[in-house]
Amino acid sequence: MADATSSPEPTCDVDGTCYCPLTGVINTLSRKYAMQLVSIIGAHDSLRFAEIENHLTSASTSTISKRLNEFKEAGLVSRTQYNEIPPRVEYALTKEGHEVRERLEPLLKWATTRSGTATE
């Protein structure tokens, strides 16, 4: 019998597959505009904030900023600040960010065939 301080056993699928490691990734990518941002940034070497906003006009400035900060903390996006006047900041996908983007591509293709429309 486990004591109260031990963590519960992971919940597994019927075939024994445990999806617990996906929890953090799903939480990050399921937020509003998250997958679109990965796609947009990944389609370029790097982008400035205003350029990201131009690609994602339906998102508010604060939402984009929150997602970029979350991605930076998760190691998916790098933020480079240049000591220039006016200040310049660029965002780019990290190696892990590119891996996530590559894995999202089949999902995007599947979603496109299901909806019959192209999505970005």
Side-chain angles (χ1 to χ4, degrees):
M1 183 171 184
D3 63 21
T5 60
S6 66
S7 52
E9 289 295 315
T11 304
C12 299
D13 199 358
V14 175
D15 69 355
T17 304
C18 181
Y19 293 100
C20 303
L22 286 174
T23 302
V25 173
I26 296 298
N27 286 345
T28 299
L29 294 177
S30 66
R31 296 174 192 243
K32 196 169 188 177
Y33 302 112
M35 288 187 250
Q36 292 94 326
L37 279 170
V38 169
S39 295
I40 290 165
I41 297 169
H44 302 83
D45 287 332
S46 65
L47 287 173
R48 296 175 77 169
F49 191 89
E51 294 170 319
I52 295 169
E53 284 184 306
N54 289 339
H55 284 286
L56 196 55
T57 57
S58 59
S60 70
T61 300
S62 64
T63 299
I64 293 171
S65 181
K66 285 178 190 175
R67 293 300 91 81
L68 290 171
N69 287 335
E70 292 164 358
F71 286 173
K72 186 173 180 282
E73 288 178 23
L76 301 177
V77 167
S78 65
R79 180 185 186 274
T80 305
Q81 183 169 343
Y82 298 91
N83 292 324
E84 300 174 354
I85 297 177
R88 177 172 56 117
V89 175
E90 293 182 352
Y91 297 89
L93 291 184
T94 61
K95 182 179 177 183
E96 282 190 28
H98 280 289
E99 290 176 8
V100 167
R101 182 173 183 251
E102 288 173 15
R103 281 151 179 80
L104 285 175
E105 287 177 11
L107 179 61
L108 177 61
K109 288 178 185 175
W110 175 80
T112 300
T113 61
R114 299 260 316 159
S115 68
T117 60
T119 56
E120 184 167 88

